[in-house]
Amino acid sequence: HASYFSYSHWSGGLYITPTFAGSRPGALIACAWAALVSIGESGYQQRAQVIVEAARRIADAIKSIDGLKLMTQNPTIVVCFTSDVFNIYRLKDAMSKIGWSLNPLQQPAAVNICVTENLDVDDLLRDLRAAVDEVKASIPQQKIGGTEMIYKTIRMLPPAAVEFAMHRFTDASLAP
């Protein structure tokens, strides 16, 4: 555990990494360099423009979805949003069930999506609208569960207990 780094109160959610390098291992840097060499500066700029335009299109659509509140006013790659109508973690779980990966955030409760060149914006927005409608329709009978349960529980526990649980989860996920 000496090499583990964990932080349960990061606004980006629960964070733990089993290595000192964390989310920035050298292999990713090498891949980024190789991609840049392969596509060149103009190729990089072209792809970056496509991603920024997609992120802003998603942000504009989120502004028009009743129940969602945009938190990233001028996104470039990450679009963050929340809800004042329902628990946003329920939307994250609903989107996960149909194959989308929204990242949970805390303090305040929110989610984000990292936009890539391969993201189909039309599919995302169609599924997002449907999931919002589903979550809003089920508000009266909803029981706490999933991501919502995790984040509500950790707010009630002392930090040391949360860190301990995060370490045990990482141990279990790394076990052969």
Side-chain angles (χ1 to χ4, degrees), residues 112 114 126 128:
N112 74 33
C114 185
R126 179 198 64 231
L128 184 63

Side-chain angles (χ1 to χ4, degrees), residues 15-26:
Y15 181 80
I16 185 163
T17 179
T19 66
F20 178 74
S23 62
R24 293 179 187 83

Side-chain angles (χ1 to χ4, degrees), residues 19-155:
T19 66
F20 178 74
S23 62
R24 293 179 187 83
L28 289 178
I29 294 168
C31 287
W33 173 82
L36 188 56
V37 167
S38 172
I39 63 175
E41 186 176 341
S42 64
Y44 174 84
Q45 290 173 340
Q46 176 187 0
R47 285 165 177 81
Q49 186 63 37
V50 166
I51 291 168
V52 169
E53 288 171 3
R56 297 208 172 140
R57 185 170 159 221
I58 293 166
D60 288 342
I62 286 171
K63 291 177 193 175
S64 71
I65 299 174
D66 185 43
L68 295 184
K69 178 181 168 187
L70 183 67
M71 297 179 73
T72 314
Q73 297 308 316
N74 294 304
T76 55
I77 190 168
V78 175
V79 182
C80 180
F81 53 99
T82 190
S83 177
D84 294 331
V85 176
F86 54 83
N87 189 298
I88 196 68
Y89 299 138
R90 293 175 191 243
L91 179 64
K92 179 236 179 279
D93 291 342
M95 291 292 284
S96 292
K97 287 179 186 173
I98 54 175
W100 292 101
S101 180
L102 300 180
N103 305 301
L105 305 170
Q106 62 181 352
Q107 302 167 13
V111 295
N112 74 33
I113 186 160
C114 185
V115 181
T116 66
E117 185 179 23
N118 298 326
L119 183 107
D120 187 316
V121 174
D122 292 326
D123 286 350
L124 170 70
L125 295 176
R126 179 198 64 231
D127 291 347
L128 184 63
R129 286 183 181 100
V132 166
D133 290 343
E134 174 189 321
V135 170
K136 284 170 39 179
S138 66
I139 288 174
Q141 68 270 13
Q142 286 180 344
K143 294 182 180 175
I144 296 175
T147 306
E148 179 183 9
M149 177 65 83
I150 292 169
Y151 281 94
K152 283 190 175 197
T153 301
I154 65 166
R155 279 187 248 141

Side-chain angles (χ1 to χ4, degrees), residues 153-176:
T153 301
I154 65 166
R155 279 187 248 141
M156 296 184 289
L157 297 172
V162 176
E163 303 284 326
F164 178 81
M166 290 169 64
H167 282 227
R168 293 303 162 268
F169 175 81
T170 303
D171 289 345
S173 66
L174 295 175

